[in-house]
Amino acid sequence: MNIQVVRPGELGDSERARWRELQKADPSLDNPFLSVEFAVAMDRLRDYVRVAVISDGGGIKGFFPYERHSFGIGKPLGGFLTTCHGLIAEKDLRLDAKALLRACKLSVFDFDHLVAGQPTFAPYEADVRPAPVMDFTAGFDAWLEQVKTNSPKNLKTVRYKERKFGREQGGLRFEWSSADPEVLRTLLNWKSDQYRRTGRVDRFAQPWIVELTDMMHAENSSDFAGVLTMLYAGDVPVAGHFGLRTATTLVGWFPAYDTEFGRYSPGIVHHLQMAEAAANAGLHMVDMGKGGKEYKDWLKSGVLYVAEGRISRPSPAATVHWMGRTPFNKARTIVMDRPSLYRAADRVLKGFGRVRSSMQQQESPNT
């Protein structure tokens, strides 16, 4: 095998076409975070983005997009922003993973949302986790029946709130795939507020992430697009979501809502309407990503699997990286796996967010 490392933006038309061909040939790769368009966009914004082009005498066998940070520390493309990564390659391609790292000039590669079971990385999977999905291959009505089976009480409650919401706030209207940048700004402002309110780091405080989101919103081809959805009460936006799609799969990315309407559960109402719109648009699946909120358990009608693990070559940098990351990753996995611990951690972060907000208000010269 020959491995050549380039920047994604340097790939020619034939190489990009081959990437798309490989992705479409393997259902496990049907995720927009594995698309060449996402890699090229990341490359435009971050100078540490690379892709290994893997070939032999018969042509290109695969692509390995990644980030190369200081001291040869390798991270998945998009890192904490993405919910899927791995090799885009012929299904049976098996490489020596450490030789791949050597060719990429990496001392370590740490992954937590890798497509499970890829032959090159399977020996290094420390754990495999389910990622819940809404599966519409049998139709929207079949999915809705599964949701009802999962939790009839939850569905009944949300439908009641949905009707009440419409009656009291001027009727509900759902918009699929809005092209309006102001609608996107509204959603991102809600998301920033949610991050701060719940004690999380505000991703949109980083200008490059805002720019990436804008770039993705502008993408609109049959194989790859940004999809902005918004639920309105009367003419007022109340809940929305921005995600990426392939021809058949939409991936959850940035959901948020206006807290003024929180009593109506607008986020869940939006998700139900988004599911119906996605199915009507011909999509087969909404990938909600592993871990996190309990609502995923009753909206799911299937699962995909993603792997966590680590590959390293002997080096001081790899040792230091292990000491800094491995205990954190284990602790995070324990918390995410146990709903009681997740709820407790969520309460602590929300409490921190309230304290920080209060301190900021007290320090403001306008108060």
Side-chain angles (χ1 to χ4, degrees):
M1 288 288 176
N2 176 56
I3 300 175
Q4 180 184 11
V5 175
V6 299
R7 299 190 64 150
E10 296 171 345
L11 297 173
D13 290 343
S14 62
E15 293 165 317
R16 297 185 190 197
R18 177 58 173 158
W19 184 316
R20 296 185 185 101
E21 180 184 29
L22 290 168
Q23 187 180 15
K24 290 179 180 179
D26 184 349
S28 72
L29 303 179
D30 185 22
N31 187 296
F33 289 127
L34 300 178
S35 297
V36 65
E37 290 86 353
F38 183 73
V40 170
M42 283 291 300
D43 183 33
R44 288 174 59 184
L45 297 172
R46 304 280 88 183
D47 61 9
Y48 45 64
V49 174
R50 299 290 184 274
V51 59
V53 183
I54 304 152
S55 60
D56 64 8
I60 294 175
K61 300 298 180 181
F63 299 87
F64 175 55
Y66 65 96
E67 297 178 3
R68 185 181 187 277
H69 294 265
S70 300
F71 308 108
I73 302 301
K75 296 182 180 181
L77 181 67
F80 63 91
L81 283 175
T82 64
T83 59
C84 187
H85 41 260
L87 273 170
I88 296 88
E90 294 180 351
K91 194 173 182 64
D92 59 350
L93 181 68
R94 182 186 299 271
L95 303 174
D96 180 326
K98 293 189 177 182
L100 176 62
L101 262 61
R102 188 180 306 112
C104 295
K105 298 182 179 179
L106 299 178
S107 57
V108 61
F109 182 69
D110 198 10
F111 55 87
D112 60 2
H113 287 82
L114 190 89
V115 176
Q118 293 195 329
T120 297
F121 297 118
Y124 301 92
E125 294 177 354
D127 206 355
V128 175
R129 302 283 167 180
V133 301
M134 306 180 198
D135 186 343
F136 310 126
T137 51
F140 174 77
D141 291 339
W143 170 79
L144 195 60
E145 282 300 313
Q146 181 61 56
V147 172
K148 186 184 297 184
T149 300
N150 293 344
S151 180
K153 182 178 179 181
N154 277 335
L155 183 60
K156 183 177 180 180
T157 298
V158 172
R159 288 305 197 196
Y160 168 77
K161 289 185 176 182
E162 182 180 41
R163 293 189 296 270
K164 181 179 174 68
F165 199 178
R167 286 196 310 270
E168 297 181 353
Q169 300 296 331
L172 298 182
R173 174 174 62 88
F174 185 85
E175 183 178 16
W176 169 262
S177 197
S178 170
D180 189 340
E182 290 306 312
V183 174
L184 181 61
R185 293 277 80 74
T186 296
L187 177 68
L188 300 192
N189 287 338
W190 289 339
K191 197 66 182 178
S192 287
D193 177 68
Q194 178 191 341
Y195 286 140
R196 294 190 295 267
R197 190 177 67 252
T198 57
R200 273 75 169 182
V201 174
D202 180 7
R203 295 177 178 179
F204 298 110
Q206 300 186 54
W208 78 267
I209 296 180
V210 176
E211 188 173 356
L212 174 66
T213 308
D214 287 339
M215 290 168 61
M216 296 294 90
H217 185 217
E219 290 279 353
N220 187 22
S221 71
S222 59
D223 290 331
F224 183 89
V227 179
L228 174 61
T229 58
M230 185 60 71
L231 178 68
Y232 293 84
D235 294 325
V236 178
V238 295
H241 172 265
F242 179 69
L244 304 180
R245 67 152 179 83
T246 63
T248 55
T249 296
L250 173 67
V251 170
W253 206 8
F254 298 121
Y257 62 89
D258 187 341
T259 56
E260 180 181 344
F261 300 95
R263 63 189 180 279
Y264 298 111
S265 299
I268 298 298
V269 171
H270 166 275
H271 264 61
L272 287 175
Q273 296 208 14
M274 181 177 73
E276 185 170 12
N280 289 339
L283 296 181
H284 298 169
M285 183 183 299
V286 174
D287 182 344
M288 295 182 284
K290 72 169 184 176
K293 303 298 185 180
E294 292 180 6
Y295 73 82
K296 296 179 182 180
D297 283 335
W298 68 273
L299 290 182
K300 74 179 182 183
S301 57
V303 295
L304 301 175
Y305 290 94
V306 292
E308 303 172 5
R310 182 177 185 273
I311 311 166
S312 65
R313 298 190 298 124
S315 72
T319 301
V320 171
H321 180 268
W322 181 89
M323 293 172 64
R325 291 294 299 169
T326 300
F328 169 79
N329 287 341
K330 287 183 177 179
R332 181 185 60 186
T333 296
I334 291 171
V335 171
M336 297 293 279
D337 272 357
R338 292 164 173 78
S340 60
L341 289 179
Y342 180 86
R343 288 193 295 269
D346 192 49
R347 286 196 298 270
V348 170
L349 286 171
K350 287 178 179 177
F352 173 73
R354 288 192 295 269
V355 170
R356 183 170 60 181
S357 176
S358 176
M359 292 176 64
Q360 289 172 342
Q361 290 175 4
Q362 291 174 12
E363 293 171 358
S364 172
N366 295 322
T367 59

